[in-house]
Amino acid sequence: MTDLEARVSELVSQMTLEEKVAQMAGNTPLQGEYGVELWNVPGVERLGVPPFKMSDGPRGVGVGTGRTAFPVAMARAASWNPELERRVGEAMGAELAAIGGNVLLAPAMNNLRHPSWGRSQETYGEDVHLLARMGVAAVQGIQTHVLANPKHFAANSIEDTRFEVNVTVDERSLREIYLAHFRSAVLEGGAASIMSAYNSVNGQFCGENITLLRRILKEEWGFDGFVLSDFVFGTHPDSARNGLDIEMPFPVEFASLLDQVESGALPEEVVDESVTRMVRKKLEYRLDEPPSVDESVIESDEHLAIAREAVTEGAVLLKNVDAALPIDRDSLSRIAVVGALADAVNIGDTGSSSVRPSFVVTPIEGIRDALGESVAIEHIDSDMLDAADLSSLATADAVVVVTGLTEEDEGEAIIGAGDRVDLDLPQEREQLIVDAASVNDRVIVVLEGGGAITMQDWLADPEAVLMVWYPGQMGGHAIADLLFGDLSPSGKLPFTVPKSLDQLPPFDNVSLEVEYGYFHGYRYLDRRGFTPEFPFGFGLGYTSFAVSDLRVSRSQAGAGETVTFSVDVENTGPVAGGEVVQLYVSYPDSEVERAERELKGFAKVVLEPGERRTVRIDIPIDSLAYYDSDRSEWILEALEYMVHGGTSSRDLPLSVTLSVDSEAIAR
Ligand code: BGC
């Protein structure tokens, strides 16, 4: 036993049953205004065991005001830059530590099974590998200062029925598509805690799901941290027994724990195990010591700079014809900025992930700041254009239409808008784009939102479309950085943008029984042979890149090994910019049903014009395994695997083979 474990068990042995049970539930009263103070979970003062003090969430510290509002997680996923996400996590963790918190209720890492999910913006997209890379980075960053809490475990991808819906999912899909990234967050990221989900999986609520919590998370993965319930409705009669350690934010089911133990209905060992897990993390993370940062880190210049960088790295240029972007400031005399969102604070939904910064730079403010006095800026603060507006737009050098979705269109259920029923923009916003484009041939759409937006009715009209997500408090400045070419966009879509809803699997947020299968997102479209509007991994910039010469460190490998792939990338265009080299694996001759191709590695590189670099990407061979539910093992097939390289899931000009000679059990 290590010294730490010995100290933990000594402390737990000194606690009374009452003291132990009290640590298994929050004791924070529900606030009138949602989430205005840190959620508290008591420790044991007489033994020097500190409480947990928790706050949401995925886009910054939700408690209080004046915290840095980062762009939403989906925006950061689109950066395909885990190193940046690590810094974002570290900044959030520091801000929480500075106000006395020690558990950040983030990252949200549910797989975006369908873009209608109201909380799309809080997660990292539709692909397990990207989810894992960003989730691990967030966890590691956050845990420089406080404990992270990956959520919502598991298969939580519908909002409107989230408290009741039962997700039926076969074992292989569950393992490969809905759990694999959580496994990475635990095993690689070292997540100290996990939040269970509200919904049921295979007939048992996640908050009392013995398969998920005990067998898989705690026993199989060896997770040594603690699990808390999702709030208020996430705990059930068998929760404690089946592996849930803390009921949040106050005891309801767990109010009877003391009686249950005293009457012999619940073994005291169950309580001891939960408390051991919590005390272990309290000691490991030295939660009894004062934080190493003070309040000066909150909304500091450094954090605001990271927030701004996250917007420019994650913005995805979807369309750019006739050199509409970037706009050369020097050749402008009059620019029009149009739309009700141009001067709106639109930084994400009103649910638990809300952050209240002390200021927000709106797009028009950012544009004004970047252009100064030399350019006339016409601001039409409306989604409806009248005849006078149109004739004035007709003579502008460029028209920037700021539009998209808001907290009224998507968000967390009950405290926010919930799921989306269709993926179009609201009708008047589509009309705004079409109208502007009917009078001016340099219309640039700056699009805000947290998930896929279908664009069939208007995409042909404007010259450029730049997806900026919910860009956080520095959004306006970052948008201006991109519009005027100070930086080139380098984001890539973390999900597929379909042409229409019928290119996607069904989304049912009414029934209380739904079934999830193996295929969604690009895997689903690839399988059906559908051509999306924009494929997973797609994004343009102001320069061009050539990728060539995909090679592999060895052409043969086995379980447990890691193979390094190299690709040459050259910036063949006029300005500096970033490109994301993506590697997808396909499985010709596999004995089992596989996706046509799957992302297994990527790397982002920033190059000056004319610069050429060799990018190296590691793929652990075990990540090519599938889950065999009969054997309950990850099986690495003996196959000639094909590895495809390029710059989106549908632009993969390079390929190389990698062979695994004998079948093996992978980990
Ligand atoms: C959400 C969680 C959140 C919690 C506390 C729940 O409703 O699902 O994501 O962390 O509230 O605000």
Side-chain angles (χ1 to χ4, degrees):
M1 196 187 272
T2 62
D3 288 354
L4 187 126
E5 288 300 324
R7 175 92 188 106
V8 172
S9 66
E10 189 195 318
L11 277 168
V12 175
S13 72
Q14 289 168 19
M15 293 172 184
T16 66
L17 180 60
E18 284 80 357
E19 284 170 334
K20 288 188 283 193
V21 163
Q23 293 173 78
M24 291 182 65
N27 61 357
T28 324
L30 259 195
Q31 300 299 311
E33 191 190 335
Y34 186 75
V36 290
E37 66 181 46
L38 292 165
W39 312 104
N40 193 71
V41 183
V44 183
E45 216 183 324
R46 82 179 169 88
L47 297 175
V49 175
F52 287 125
K53 299 246 172 220
M54 308 181 174
S55 166
D56 287 295
R59 67 178 195 250
V61 174
V63 164
T65 53
R67 320 295 180 216
T68 304
F70 292 90
V72 293
M74 192 63 85
R76 288 149 25 215
S79 74
W80 292 56
N81 186 342
E83 185 276 328
L84 171 61
E85 181 62 5
R86 200 197 49 71
R87 283 187 283 131
V88 170
E90 189 172 339
M92 291 175 177
E95 295 198 8
L96 180 58
I99 60 164
N102 52 30
V103 182
L104 187 71
L105 305 177
M109 27 189 325
N110 294 109
N111 200 326
L112 179 65
R113 182 183 168 272
H114 194 288
S116 288
W117 183 34
R119 294 179 81 173
S120 303
Q121 61 187 274
E122 290 185 54
T123 186
Y124 301 115
E126 72 180 29
D127 177 80
V128 238
H129 181 71
L130 184 60
L131 275 155
R133 294 335 314 149
M134 301 309 281
V136 166
V139 167
Q140 290 175 337
I142 292 167
Q143 293 195 161
T144 336
H145 296 284
V146 296
L147 279 56
N149 182 240
K151 63 188 187 183
H152 310 80
F153 191 68
N156 178 173
S157 305
I158 299 174
E159 246 348 70
D160 292 6
T161 51
R162 64 177 169 158
F163 301 128
E164 302 143 297
V165 67
N166 175 43
V167 175
T168 299
V169 53
D170 65 275
E171 180 76 5
R172 182 172 167 214
S173 304
L174 179 67
R175 297 293 190 136
E176 292 185 32
I177 310 294
Y178 295 99
L179 298 185
H181 42 296
F182 281 104
R183 183 177 185 244
S184 303
V186 168
L187 294 180
E188 254 183 273
S193 72
I194 289 280
M195 184 190 294
S196 59
Y198 289 124
N199 52 282
S200 294
V201 167
N202 293 332
Q204 197 169 33
F205 282 110
C206 292
E208 59 173 354
N209 196 303
I210 194 163
T211 308
L212 290 177
L213 301 183
R214 271 212 194 283
R215 299 204 180 114
I216 298 180
L217 175 66
K218 291 184 170 175
E219 291 167 14
E220 198 183 305
W221 299 350
F223 171 68
D224 71 349
F226 55 94
V227 180
L228 48 126
S229 72
D230 202 345
F231 284 48
V232 188
F233 305 109
T235 315
H236 303 277
D238 284 329
S239 289
R241 183 187 303 277
N242 290 354
L244 189 93
D245 302 305
I246 304 179
E247 175 171 30
M248 289 304 293
F250 42 68
V252 178
E253 287 294 344
F254 284 15
S256 64
L257 281 186
L258 188 61
D259 289 349
Q260 287 184 45
V261 176
E262 280 174 344
S263 70
L266 184 74
E268 189 165 350
E269 293 76 63
V270 171
V271 171
D272 286 349
E273 188 206 314
S274 291
V275 176
T276 298
R277 288 171 174 276
M278 294 178 227
V279 176
R280 174 185 295 136
K281 292 301 160 187
K282 288 176 179 180
L283 297 194
E284 223 176 282
Y285 285 82
R286 300 175 190 278
L287 298 192
D288 55 336
E289 292 177 9
S292 58
V293 286
D294 63 29
E295 294 200 10
S296 66
V297 300
I298 301 176
E299 270 191 339
S300 62
D301 289 348
E302 189 195 337
H303 289 187
L304 294 175
I306 296 173
R308 182 167 175 169
E309 183 185 348
V311 190
T312 52
E313 285 258 337
V316 183
L317 183 60
L318 294 171
K319 175 177 178 180
N320 191 19
V321 298
D322 302 335
L325 282 176
I327 303 168
D328 174 15
R329 285 180 177 86
D330 298 335
S331 64
L332 270 189
S333 54
R334 187 162 68 90
I335 185 171
V337 182
V338 181
L341 296 186
D343 198 21
V345 170
N346 192 26
I347 58 173
D349 92 312
T350 51
S352 60
S353 67
S354 300
V355 173
R356 300 163 206 82
S358 64
F359 67 90
V360 174
V361 183
T362 65
I364 183 80
E365 287 168 357
I367 290 170
R368 280 200 188 108
D369 188 66
L371 292 179
E373 300 294 307
S374 58
V375 179
I377 303 172
E378 182 173 358
H379 175 205
I380 302 178
D381 185 16
S382 165
D383 286 343
M384 313 276 194
L385 301 176
D386 61 23
D389 295 332
L390 288 172
S391 69
S392 133
L393 292 191
T395 54
D397 298 324
V399 177
V400 175
V401 177
V402 184
T403 190
L405 303 175
T406 72
E407 60 195 43
E408 297 190 354
D409 303 304
E410 57 179 342
E412 192 170 338
I414 303 182
I415 41 183
D419 300 316
R420 281 189 290 161
V421 277
D422 74 52
L423 301 179
D424 288 340
L425 287 179
Q427 219 276 322
E428 70 280 4
R429 298 204 167 136
E430 293 197 337
Q431 197 58 48
L432 171 72
I433 301 170
V434 172
D435 289 348
S438 71
V439 295
N440 190 297
D441 58 12
R442 193 178 192 183
V443 170
I444 292 133
V445 176
V446 170
L447 197 59
E448 299 181 334
I453 294 169
T454 40
M455 307 177 188
Q456 286 281 285
D457 295 335
W458 56 267
L459 184 60
D461 297 40
E463 280 61 43
V465 181
L466 180 67
M467 181 83 195
V468 299
W469 315 100
Y470 297 114
Q473 75 184 102
M474 297 300 279
H477 287 318
I479 290 166
D481 291 341
L482 296 169
L483 291 178
F484 303 113
D486 299 331
L487 291 167
S488 170
S490 59
K492 301 277 179 176
L493 287 173
F495 49 67
T496 306
V497 177
K499 286 192 196 295
S500 57
L501 264 178
D502 52 22
Q503 290 192 329
L504 300 175
F507 179 79
D508 179 354
N509 64 349
V510 178
S511 315
L512 299 185
E513 286 293 334
V514 298
E515 205 173 322
Y516 287 3
Y518 194 67
F519 294 94
H520 73 271
Y522 68 88
R523 293 168 171 83
Y524 183 88
L525 277 88
D526 286 349
R527 181 180 164 79
R528 302 259 165 154
F530 293 150
T531 303
E533 195 74 84
F534 296 110
F536 174 79
F538 174 83
L540 305 166
Y542 300 154
T543 187
S544 51
F545 292 91
V547 292
S548 61
D549 200 11
L550 170 61
R551 50 211 187 271
V552 59
S553 57
R554 43 209 284 220
S555 53
Q556 225 175 3
E561 296 176 351
T562 292
V563 172
T564 304
F565 294 82
S566 308
V567 179
D568 294 338
V569 192
E570 185 178 353
N571 182 344
T572 53
V575 294
E579 181 56 287
V580 179
V581 179
Q582 305 168 33
L583 296 183
Y584 294 77
V585 173
S586 66
Y587 313 87
D589 305 323
S590 171
E591 297 276 303
V592 293
E593 187 171 40
R594 296 275 195 150
E596 201 129 305
R597 63 188 88 88
E598 296 178 300
L599 182 73
K600 292 292 178 187
F602 63 87
K604 189 165 195 173
V605 58
V606 177
L607 299 177
E608 293 298 320
E611 191 183 347
R612 183 188 176 95
R613 207 179 298 164
T614 300
V615 170
R616 292 197 170 72
I617 300 171
D618 285 343
I619 299 188
I621 294 300
D622 287 3
S623 74
L624 310 182
Y626 72 94
Y627 190 80
D628 183 326
S629 13
D630 295 333
R631 290 196 264 177
S632 302
E633 297 282 10
W634 290 87
I635 303 297
L636 179 67
E637 279 184 285
L639 275 189
E640 288 269 296
Y641 294 86
M642 293 281 294
V643 180
H644 309 268
T647 57
S648 89
S649 62
R650 291 278 174 118
D651 181 11
L652 297 167
L654 312 173
S655 63
V656 70
T657 57
L658 172 72
S659 71
V660 171
D661 287 341
S662 49
E663 182 179 292
I665 291 174
R667 290 285 145 222

